[in-house]
Amino acid sequence: KITHAPSAAEALTLMEKHPFELVITMLNIGDIDAAELARTIKTKHPEQPIIVLSPAPAHKSIKRLKKESVDTVDYIFTWQGNPNILLAMVKLVEDRMNTEDDVRTGDVQVIILVEDSVRYYSTYLPMIYTSLIQQARFIMTEGLNDWSQTQRMRGRPKILLARTYEEAIELYEKYKRNTL
């Protein structure tokens, strides 16, 4: 379910009333900037995943946001006209949250994408996730019940995004036995 808030103030009010699994904010939201909104949210909800969506890959605020919001914004994406970016954003957050448990309990495989360019990973991830989900659906047989189909979809390889060399090495060391 997607809930829209026309302003940062209204988004914060909604968050006080209801829990949300993910916050996606545009780079320019009017009354305050995305970095300030992320800081405010993380103060009250430190585990809340936050993604900033930029209208263009060359937007001047992206560089500033990447430096200022390292601890508050989980991911920055750029809109490039592909609606599958929403799938990629949701799945990336889900994968980050579920990988450790899925590897431990289900021996699920891991793909580590190493890329520091917002523009490039905003292009790659929608393509990779679309392909993985199509492959997972393809291998499902008609005889499977809903529970079995859900288990197979959960068993698809998880994608982890590393934006630095150090982050990539850390993820590799943690999941090297399951890295594709």
Side-chain angles (χ1 to χ4, degrees):
K1 180 178 176 181
I2 296 175
T3 303
H4 174 263
S7 69
E10 190 168 329
L12 293 169
T13 301
L14 283 169
M15 291 188 74
E16 292 304 316
K17 295 178 182 176
H18 310 285
F20 290 91
E21 294 182 35
L22 173 63
V23 172
I24 301 172
T25 181
M26 296 303 290
L27 187 59
N28 299 317
I29 50 178
D31 46 353
I32 64 174
D33 69 0
E36 171 117 3
L37 176 61
R39 275 191 295 278
T40 303
I41 291 171
K42 291 283 187 171
T43 300
K44 293 182 180 183
H45 310 280
E47 299 300 315
Q48 179 68 56
I50 300 173
I51 294 176
V52 174
L53 185 59
S54 171
H59 202 283
K60 61 185 174 202
S61 299
I62 289 179
K63 287 182 183 178
R64 182 180 54 81
L65 184 65
K66 284 171 75 174
K67 290 177 186 172
E68 289 180 9
S69 304
V70 170
D71 296 332
T72 55
V73 172
D74 295 277
Y75 300 106
I76 301 168
F77 280 85
T78 60
W79 174 254
Q80 297 177 21
N82 183 351
N84 289 336
I85 198 160
L86 293 173
L87 168 77
M89 290 188 294
V90 170
K91 291 296 183 191
L92 186 63
V93 169
E94 283 181 355
D95 285 357
R96 184 182 71 185
M97 292 168 52
N98 297 330
T99 298
E100 190 167 336
D101 186 57
D102 288 353
V103 165
R104 187 179 68 254
T105 60
D107 204 31
V108 171
Q109 299 294 292
V110 174
I111 296 170
I112 301 170
L113 174 62
V114 184
E115 181 57 68
D116 68 343
S117 167
V118 173
R119 178 181 181 187
Y120 289 133
Y121 71 71
S122 293
T123 301
Y124 300 151
L125 287 170
M127 290 188 298
I128 295 169
Y129 275 113
T130 300
S131 178
L132 282 177
I133 289 171
Q134 286 173 346
Q135 288 176 1
R137 284 188 181 140
F138 181 74
I139 63 169
M140 286 184 208
T141 62
E142 290 182 23
L144 292 176
N145 61 27
D146 289 341
W147 183 83
S148 296
Q149 289 179 358
T150 301
Q151 290 304 103
R152 287 241 176 120
M153 283 302 270
R154 285 196 71 212
R156 69 161 173 78
K158 304 301 180 212
I159 300 173
L160 299 174
L161 175 62
R163 290 164 286 190
T164 65
Y165 172 80
E166 294 79 14
E167 190 178 0
I169 293 299
E170 182 180 320
L171 288 170
Y172 178 74
E173 288 300 324
K174 186 173 187 176
Y175 299 112
K176 66 180 160 191
R177 195 179 73 74
N178 293 73
T179 300
L180 289 173

